[in-house]
Amino acid sequence: MSETPDPREPALPGWSHTPRVPLQVSPVFRRPFKPWDIVAWFWSRWFWVSEKLLLVGLAFVTWAFLTPSLESMATLELWWIGAIYARNLVLFTAVAGGLHLYLHRWKKQGDRLKFDPRPLMRKGKQFTWGGQVRDNMAWSLGSGVTVWTGYEVLLFWAMANGWIPALTWEMAPVWFVLVFFLVPIWESFYFYWIHRLLHWPPLYRRVHALHHRNINIGPWSGLSMHPVEHVLFLGSAMIHWIVPAGPVHIIYHLQYLTLTAATTHSGFEALVVRDKARLALGTFHHQMHHRYFECNYGSLEVPWDKVFGSFHDGTLEADAAMKERRKRIMG
């Protein structure tokens, strides 16, 4: 982690922290092809202390101790649906609420690695339920957790009845492991196209504008969306009607979508423990999208923004190009 921009590249104004720029997409899509860079990229995102590895562990714990047996979910019953809803409610509150308290309320690491120098908004006419945090919590817990649970229940119920392919370790151990690695790649592809759709003016005004109330973002902002956007965004997990997966993969997929929404919108690049950045959180790449809107619709995993000319790499040159693009869009 870097706390100062690369001295060869001047920092964009208005930010309290920027990483080294220009931002780089996955080395899988860079040329010249450098195998060692690819290994280092995946190692940093998957192993040692990484969010993805922690989520895989959480998925196994959730399946083993916090989820009814697959057989018992063959019939839709309130007791197990309620249990999954309560579990998801507690999990999201623990992650988003814990990060909010630690980073924004108690300010345990001050402004270190904080992208936007401004505090979260306490008031604002754009918020349905008052201040930013209260509004974000209402949409996240009221709609977000409900839709998350709905997809999980649907997939478990269908799997228990044999309507979608179920995968076990014994059936295909290599594929069983690969699914964990493929979910983030699929999500990067899916998210870009859904996100571009949500920026189509009619959908933006009626749906996605609710999420973009958050120009300066916090952990509760990530899942603060219109119910229609929740249905579209979390619909990524419906790929398992086609691609074989086990119950633990479904749990991981939906936790990856929801819990990383809180971490990546934390407003901080990393969690600092004992004076060192220990766990990556948000990205400057997506933080810029919330401030500038018409850039960085996807992620750095799959470079659709570079393909379609909406990539902002954090440099002054890219900023000028983005402003010109916005002028053309506005007519």
Side-chain angles (χ1 to χ4, degrees):
M1 296 291 174
S2 169
E3 293 191 53
T4 57
D6 190 324
R8 294 169 294 179
E9 292 283 353
L12 289 174
W15 300 97
S16 59
H17 165 72
T18 57
R20 292 188 181 277
V21 297
L23 301 179
Q24 298 292 325
V25 299
S26 167
V28 173
F29 301 97
R30 290 185 230 152
R31 296 297 178 269
F33 189 73
K34 296 181 178 179
W36 179 248
D37 286 354
I38 295 173
V39 171
W41 170 277
F42 280 99
W43 179 268
S44 67
R45 282 157 175 76
W46 271 102
F47 300 103
W48 199 237
V49 180
S50 74
E51 185 179 54
K52 291 183 177 68
L53 196 60
L54 290 172
L55 284 170
V56 170
L58 178 61
F60 275 101
V61 170
T62 303
W63 171 236
F65 302 108
L66 301 173
T67 306
S69 67
L70 192 61
E71 294 76 16
S72 67
M73 294 188 283
T75 302
L76 293 174
E77 295 184 32
L78 187 60
W79 71 267
W80 68 265
I81 295 173
I84 290 176
Y85 177 79
R87 173 250 280 167
N88 292 343
L89 193 70
V90 170
L91 276 175
F92 192 79
T93 301
V95 174
L99 285 172
H100 173 76
L101 290 173
Y102 187 86
L103 296 171
H104 294 273
R105 177 66 66 84
W106 299 333
K107 299 183 181 298
K108 288 295 185 178
Q109 65 184 61
D111 288 337
R112 189 174 180 187
L113 302 183
K114 185 175 188 289
F115 296 118
D116 197 311
R118 299 169 296 177
L120 300 176
M121 295 181 67
R122 293 184 176 275
K123 296 180 180 180
K125 294 181 180 179
Q126 70 270 41
F127 299 117
T128 308
W129 308 100
Q132 182 177 1
V133 176
R134 186 183 305 168
D135 192 71
N136 288 175
M137 289 179 67
W139 289 108
S140 296
L141 300 178
S143 174
V145 173
T146 302
V147 175
W148 167 13
T149 302
Y151 274 123
E152 195 170 348
V153 167
L154 175 62
L155 289 165
F156 282 151
W157 176 63
M159 184 174 288
N161 284 282
W163 299 333
I164 62 175
L167 179 70
T168 65
W169 170 265
E170 292 76 15
M171 291 169 58
V174 174
W175 179 251
F176 190 94
V177 172
L178 277 177
V179 171
F180 291 109
F181 290 92
L182 293 174
V183 163
I185 297 172
W186 160 247
E187 172 53 23
S188 186
F189 171 83
Y190 178 91
F191 176 69
Y192 175 84
W193 293 105
I194 288 296
H195 201 178
R196 288 308 301 256
L197 175 65
L198 288 164
H199 274 261
W200 179 48
L203 268 180
Y204 183 86
R205 289 192 300 269
R206 293 174 175 82
V207 176
H208 193 48
L210 192 155
H211 182 65
H212 269 288
R213 293 171 179 177
N214 301 284
I215 297 173
N216 180 21
I217 53 179
W220 287 105
S221 305
L223 207 60
S224 179
M225 305 172 186
H226 190 283
V228 171
E229 183 168 355
H230 283 131
V231 171
L232 292 172
F233 172 59
L234 297 174
S236 166
M238 296 299 279
I239 190 70
H240 298 302
W241 281 83
I242 302 169
V243 177
V248 71
H249 298 115
I250 290 171
I251 292 170
Y252 166 71
H253 195 147
L254 285 161
Q255 288 181 349
Y256 179 83
L257 294 173
T258 53
L259 300 184
T260 63
T263 58
T264 57
H265 286 75
S266 65
F268 288 74
E269 187 178 31
L271 190 67
V272 175
V273 179
R274 294 184 179 178
D275 206 38
K276 288 187 178 181
R278 304 286 184 177
L279 182 66
L281 294 174
T283 65
F284 191 51
H285 178 265
H286 191 68
Q287 186 91 23
M288 286 190 289
H289 175 76
H290 272 269
R291 183 180 289 191
Y292 303 144
F293 296 91
E294 302 299 337
C295 69
N296 296 353
Y297 298 98
S299 72
L300 298 174
E301 302 282 348
V302 181
W304 289 113
D305 284 297
K306 294 200 77 169
V307 173
F308 294 103
S310 54
F311 185 63
H312 195 318
D313 64 7
T315 62
L316 294 175
E317 292 79 7
D319 202 56
M322 179 203 65
K323 290 174 181 176
E324 286 299 318
R325 187 169 63 252
R326 287 173 67 177
K327 287 180 182 177
R328 293 195 300 270
I329 292 172
M330 298 300 292

